[in-house]
Structure formats: structure tokens, C-alpha cells
Amino acid sequence: MLNGEVLFLKARVMNSFFERLSGLMFKKDIRCDALVFKNCGSIHSFFCFIVFNALFIGKDGKILNHFTNIKQNKILPPVFKTKFLIEYQGEPLKFSENDIIEIVEI
């Protein structure tokens, strides 16, 4: 949620070792609105067949970094103190400097 507005209605939490390891690799579609990783501060896009966005969130819900339109075979710089990483497809979201993201499980 961002300022009370739901950003991703169908987000999938990547919990298992294999889910976290594979992420978007070898996939042509996310099959949901977003993927959520806990305590993941660095990613790459090797073997990713889709263009995606990555939103790094700190423990207080503050947006630490937002990478957009990530194409295949890229290594992103690590984002330290990341509590949640959200990977999603489509138009990049717009944020203000002080916006807070809240992760809510339903």
C-alpha cells in the first residue's frame, strides 16, 4: 500500500530457496501483479526474458531505490538495508521523496 492505495492486489511472496534463487529467470510472464522478496538487496537479470521494474524498500517502509525497465543481462548495484524487494512488470510507479510503502498480507 502507498498512502492507503493498494499497488499490487495479487503479489506473490517468494519464500522457498528455489523461488528466491530462480525469481524471474526463464520466465516470460510474472503470472501475478508482483513478486516480493524479503531481505534481498541485490539482483541481476541474467536469463530473464521480460523487462521489469525493481522497488527496494527499507524496514521503515521508505523507498530506498527504484530501478525501472530492467532489461536482460544486467547486474544492479546492491541496495543496502533492504527489507523488501518488489519486482513488477508494466509502467514504472511514480513516487514522492517521502512516500512510505506498507506490505500487507491478506
Side-chain angles (χ1 to χ4, degrees), residues 69-103:
N69 299 315
I70 303 165
K71 294 177 178 57
Q72 190 173 19
N73 299 324
K74 303 291 180 201
I75 299 175
L76 297 177
V79 179
F80 298 104
K81 299 184 180 180
T82 297
K83 180 66 177 173
F84 294 101
L85 161 66
I86 300 174
E87 295 179 346
Y88 66 97
Q89 283 183 279
E91 261 323 288
L93 300 171
K94 305 289 185 210
F95 302 102
S96 299
E97 175 91 16
N98 297 320
D99 281 345
I100 301 293
I101 300 284
E102 181 182 2
I103 306 292

Side-chain angles (χ1 to χ4, degrees), residues 7-14 23-24 29-37 50 52-55 57 85-90 93 103:
L7 295 176
F8 306 108
L9 190 57
K10 287 180 65 178
R12 181 174 170 201
V13 179
M14 307 299 273
L24 290 175
D29 191 339
I30 290 181
R31 297 187 188 139
C32 59
D33 295 337
L35 301 179
V36 179
F37 299 82
I50 60 173
F52 66 99
N53 306 297
L55 182 61
I57 303 168
L85 161 66
I86 300 174
E87 295 179 346
Y88 66 97
Q89 283 183 279
L93 300 171
I103 306 292

Side-chain angles (χ1 to χ4, degrees), residues 56-68:
F56 293 84
I57 303 168
K59 67 177 180 177
D60 56 358
K62 188 168 180 163
I63 299 164
L64 302 175
N65 211 331
H66 187 211
F67 295 96
T68 59

Side-chain angles (χ1 to χ4, degrees), residues 9-23:
L9 190 57
K10 287 180 65 178
R12 181 174 170 201
V13 179
M14 307 299 273
N15 285 322
S16 75
F17 173 76
F18 183 72
E19 287 175 327
R20 293 174 57 84
L21 177 67
S22 62

